[in-house]
């Protein structure tokens, strides 16, 4: 039984292919302006990696903000459901999922079967999302993927007084002008983003075990900062960015087999 | 008897000099990196234009976010109190004041004697502040004045999915790429400002008459959009520049204190 999940986010498109609920292949690409194109491209690459053909996929579920534009999907599932399902598959003891994406953040409480009990979602304010990091990386001319390593070299604790991305950007520029170290600034930035995401997550009463997913979880500095903000240990998953697509592919397997495993 | 008010804001600094409760001089400058430099410069300019020196000023009140750093003032008074006082002096019938600053916005309600009944401020989020307009004007490559003028010609204003400046900026860029007419984008920007401001104003309970202070009050596009949103006429301030309302309030407090409690 081969099933697939396709997660079209605002910044990246993700595909997962499973054989009997085991990973065959996964792929992440930068999303283009057209979600349809992104979905075709990411799935084409995943299929190639898996060494299969499109016809071999028995069922495919689409998720993510661009899910309605995926031409080849058999059905749709909400991001929240897919993230809950994916997280509990990766970390069976997980009861809380904090997902920070490129343009949103969500926190989900799941029961032991991965059913969503409660969730909160923010896509109204850029603070507490990956966009905050992106904007600052851009204005400091550093790479997004280098931010974790850079913040690891921080020696002085700084605190940003602004929560708003627009105001924080100005504040960061003046910190640079004052001669503060970039590592310390990035570390303070991580804490600001994490604090914002944590205050969102506290709205659903974070229960252990908690797991962090989404592209931002690949940033080790953010992972540490979120642990600090929530005051608890978080579980790492191997590839946090494909969690939603994984959940979708698992739902696809459930649909075919008629039961959840 | 001379009294003065100095309002040091995040973007602009204002000074007002009064003689016996009447404005004889006012100056607006762009704020410097340090609030005390702004205060010294703006007050220095006002004094020299009035042909006075600091020793002629019987009392001076400071306000604005940098008020505690002003060296020459006798006391500091909150922005809220000064804006209320200044707005009432400019529009005696005013009950609700909406003040949009460069990096904050506030709404306040006065009773018929000018006492502060209720107020609300936002300085946490750039949305609904002058900063929002500034960011949008920059993306659109327009001056703030042009942004206001443009919007009057719009037939189909765009709408934003969220109030966040960051997301709205991304939306504007998308609309520009899609060749949406600039006037429709400009009108959408002004509507977004108005919507955010009316939320704030409705929060404190709107009461007539309503007036707007701060630099944004000079932007007709925003004021018209706000009137539409609130469904209420906004009294235009014509007596003086609405941007100096806070400094006027400060100068009035100074006059009052110097006169032993009366204006």
């Amino acid at each position: 039984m081969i099933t697939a999940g396709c997660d079209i986010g605002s910044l990246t498109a993700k595909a997962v292919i499973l054989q009997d609920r085991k990973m065959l292949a996964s792929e992440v690409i930068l999303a283009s302006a057209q979600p349809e194109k992104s979905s075709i491209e990411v799935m084409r690459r995943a299929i190639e990696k898996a060494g299969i053909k499109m016809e071999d996929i028995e069922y495919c579920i689409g998720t993510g903000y661009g899910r309605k534009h995926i031409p080849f999907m058999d059905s749709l599932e909400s991001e929240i459901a897919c993230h809950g399902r994916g997280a509990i598959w990766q970390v069976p003891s997980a009861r809380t999922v904090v997902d920070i994406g490129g343009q949103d953040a969500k926190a989900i409480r799941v029961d032991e079967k991965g059913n969503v009990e409660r969730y909160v979602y923010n896509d109204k304010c850029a603070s507490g999302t990956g966009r905050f990091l992106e904007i600052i990386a851009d204005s400091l001319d550093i790479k997004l993927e280098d931010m974790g390593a850079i913040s690891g070299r921080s020696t002085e604790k700084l605190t940003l007084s602004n929560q708003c991305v627009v105001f924080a950007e100005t504040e960061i520029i003046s910190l640079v002008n004052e001669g503060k170290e970039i590592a310390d600034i990035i570390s303070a930035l991580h804490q600001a983003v994490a604090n914002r995401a944590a205050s969102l997550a506290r709205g659903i009463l974070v229960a252990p075990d908690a797991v962090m997913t989404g592209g931002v979880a690949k940033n080790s500095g953010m992972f540490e900062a979120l642990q600090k903000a929530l005051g608890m240990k978080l579980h790492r998953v191997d590839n946090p960015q494909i969690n939603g697509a994984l959940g979708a592919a698992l739902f696809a397997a459930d649909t075919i087999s008629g039961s959840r495993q | 008897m001379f009294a003065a008010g100095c309002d040091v804001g995040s973007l602009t600094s204002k000074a007002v000099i009064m003689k016996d409760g009447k404005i004889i001089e006012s100056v607006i400058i762009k704020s410097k990196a340090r609030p005390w430099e702004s205060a010294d410069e703006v007050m220095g300019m006002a004094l020299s234009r009035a042909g006075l020196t600091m020793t002629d000023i019987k009392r001076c009140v400071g306000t604005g976010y940098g008020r505690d750093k002003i060296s020459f003032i006798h006391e500091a008074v909150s922005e809220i109190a000064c804006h209320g006082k200044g707005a009432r002096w400019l529009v005696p019938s005013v009950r609700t004041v909406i003040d949009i600053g460069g990096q904050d916005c506030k709404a306040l309600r006065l009773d018929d004697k000018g006492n502060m009944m209720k107020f609300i401020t936002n300085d946490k989020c750039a949305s609904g502040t002058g900063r929002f307009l500034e960011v949008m004007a920059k993306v659109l490559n327009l001056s703030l004045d042009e942004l206001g003028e443009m919007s009057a010609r719009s037939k189909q204003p765009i709408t934003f999915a969220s109030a966040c400046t960051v997301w709205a900026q991304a939306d504007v860029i998308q609309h520009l790429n899609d060749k949406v007419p600039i006037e429709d984008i400009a009108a959408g920007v002004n509507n977004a400002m108005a919507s955010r401001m009316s939320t704030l104003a409705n929060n404190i309970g709107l009461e007539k008459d309503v007036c707007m202070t701060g630099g944004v009050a000079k932007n007709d596009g925003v004021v018209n959009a706000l009137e539409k949103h609130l469904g209420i006429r906004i009294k235009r301030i014509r007596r003086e520049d609405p941007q100096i309302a806070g400094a006027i309030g400060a100068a009035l407090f100074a006059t009052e204190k110097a006169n032993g409690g009366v204006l």
Side-chain angles (χ1 to χ4, degrees):
Chain A
M1 173 181 62
I2 297 181
T3 60
C6 188
D7 178 4
I8 307 301
S10 55
L11 287 183
T12 54
K14 287 80 72 171
V16 163
I17 300 174
L18 301 179
Q19 180 160 33
D20 301 325
R21 294 193 172 88
K22 287 201 174 60
M23 184 70 74
L24 260 189
S26 72
E27 187 64 49
V28 180
I29 63 165
L30 278 177
S32 72
Q34 291 132 314
E36 182 175 341
K37 268 194 188 165
S38 307
S39 69
I40 292 169
E41 178 60 17
V42 74
M43 193 50 84
R44 188 189 64 76
R45 291 200 203 180
I47 283 168
E48 203 175 288
K49 259 195 195 171
I52 59 163
K53 291 194 282 295
M54 194 68 198
E55 307 85 85
D56 297 330
I57 296 174
E58 289 173 66
Y59 205 88
C60 175
I61 287 184
T63 190
Y65 112 106
R67 61 181 175 271
K68 289 188 181 120
H69 302 283
I70 307 173
F72 49 80
M73 50 130 189
D74 298 298
S75 65
L76 295 173
E77 195 57 72
S78 80
E79 284 173 83
I80 300 289
C82 289
H83 277 278
R85 183 85 170 100
I88 206 151
W89 185 262
Q90 300 201 71
V91 182
S93 62
R95 291 296 170 268
T96 308
V97 186
V98 182
D99 179 87
I100 308 183
Q103 292 192 10
D104 65 4
K106 36 195 174 286
I108 310 162
R109 276 252 309 271
V110 290
D111 67 14
E112 64 282 358
K113 292 195 183 72
N115 298 312
V116 175
E117 290 180 326
R118 293 176 77 171
Y119 72 91
V120 275
Y121 186 67
N122 165 41
D123 64 349
K124 295 283 174 232
C125 164
S127 177
T129 76
R131 189 57 175 270
F132 198 167
L133 299 175
E134 218 191 326
I135 285 176
I136 304 304
D138 205 41
S139 76
L140 296 179
D141 201 19
I142 56 180
K143 287 203 187 103
L144 203 55
E145 57 267 33
D146 293 341
M147 286 180 120
I150 293 172
S151 72
R153 295 195 286 271
S154 166
T155 51
E156 187 196 349
K157 187 180 182 293
L158 299 177
T159 309
L160 294 183
S161 59
N162 286 294
Q163 197 58 254
C164 174
V165 176
V166 175
F167 292 154
E169 192 183 2
T170 315
E171 187 181 357
I172 284 175
I173 290 165
S174 36
L175 287 173
V176 173
N177 290 339
E178 279 167 33
K180 296 292 183 193
E181 292 296 330
I182 296 291
D184 299 330
I185 294 172
I186 301 296
S187 173
L189 167 67
H190 287 158
Q191 204 56 58
V193 180
N195 289 348
R196 181 73 180 186
S199 75
L200 178 81
R202 273 192 286 273
I204 55 154
L205 303 174
V206 178
D209 292 346
V211 49
M212 181 183 182
T213 62
V216 172
K218 293 197 295 186
N219 174 333
S220 58
M222 272 302 303
F223 188 86
E224 297 297 327
L226 188 62
Q227 291 198 126
K228 209 165 159 193
L230 288 171
M232 63 163 70
K233 281 268 170 211
L234 293 170
H235 281 270
R236 260 178 222 281
V237 292
D238 287 339
N239 194 343
Q241 209 165 6
I242 59 156
N243 186 55
L246 171 65
L250 288 166
F251 277 129
D254 297 346
T255 307
I256 292 180
S257 65
S259 71
R260 187 179 273 198
Q261 276 183 28
Chain B
M1 188 269 303
F2 297 107
C6 187
D7 177 5
V8 178
S10 57
L11 287 184
T12 58
S13 295
K14 287 79 69 176
V16 163
I17 299 175
M18 283 186 166
K19 185 183 181 189
D20 303 324
K22 288 199 174 58
I23 298 178
I24 57 160
E25 196 54 71
S26 69
V27 176
I28 304 175
I29 61 161
K30 273 199 151 180
S31 288
K32 320 253 150 211
R34 297 173 204 292
W36 56 88
E37 291 171 3
S38 308
D40 290 347
E41 181 171 324
V42 74
M43 190 52 81
M45 280 173 74
L47 286 169
S48 86
R49 280 196 205 171
L52 300 171
T53 63
M54 204 63 213
T55 48
D56 297 321
I57 306 291
K58 193 160 176 206
R59 198 166 177 89
C60 181
V61 166
T63 190
Y65 104 106
R67 62 182 176 270
D68 296 324
K69 310 269 168 61
I70 309 174
S71 59
F72 52 78
I73 55 167
H74 296 87
E75 67 178 318
V77 174
S78 81
E79 288 166 81
I80 297 288
C82 288
H83 274 276
K85 190 103 176 158
R88 190 174 151 82
W89 188 80
L90 290 161
V91 181
S93 61
V94 76
R95 292 297 185 80
T96 308
V97 183
I98 301 166
D99 175 72
I100 312 295
Q103 291 190 21
D104 66 354
C105 50
K106 30 193 177 288
L108 50 101
R109 196 149 54 78
L110 306 169
D111 70 6
D112 56 351
K113 292 185 183 65
N115 299 313
M116 187 72 59
M117 302 301 286
K118 229 176 162 180
F119 70 88
I120 184 168
T121 59
N122 162 43
D123 60 357
K124 300 272 176 262
C125 166
S127 173
T129 74
R131 189 62 173 273
F132 179 86
L133 283 180
E134 218 186 319
V135 169
M136 297 309 153
K138 200 171 161 198
V139 179
L140 292 169
N141 203 13
L142 296 173
S143 72
L144 285 173
D145 291 340
E146 287 169 332
L147 191 66
E149 288 162 22
M150 280 261 176
S151 62
R153 295 200 293 272
S154 166
K155 293 196 176 67
Q156 243 187 324
I158 59 153
T159 54
F160 294 106
S162 127
C164 177
T165 309
V166 172
W167 299 147
Q169 188 183 6
D171 284 354
V172 166
I173 292 167
Q174 183 66 49
H175 286 307
L176 284 174
N177 289 339
D178 293 344
K179 305 215 161 39
V180 172
I182 302 242
E183 45 270 33
D184 290 341
I185 302 176
V189 166
N190 288 337
N191 284 341
M193 270 299 281
S195 143
R196 189 72 178 197
M197 285 150 61
S198 57
T199 307
L200 202 71
N202 284 323
N203 234 311
I204 55 156
L206 205 61
E207 226 183 296
K208 284 204 280 191
D209 287 338
V210 181
C211 79
M212 254 186 87
T213 60
V216 176
K218 291 187 273 188
N219 181 328
D220 282 335
V222 177
V223 182
N224 294 337
L226 182 60
E227 276 185 331
K228 242 185 235 165
H229 265 266
L230 293 174
I232 207 168
R233 171 123 183 88
I234 294 169
K235 281 234 165 195
R236 306 297 201 273
I237 293 174
R238 308 216 188 273
R239 217 171 134 183
E240 290 291 342
D241 187 329
Q243 203 167 359
I244 62 167
I248 292 175
L252 289 169
F253 277 119
T255 304
E256 223 170 60
K257 198 79 173 260
N259 271 350
V262 286
L263 266 179

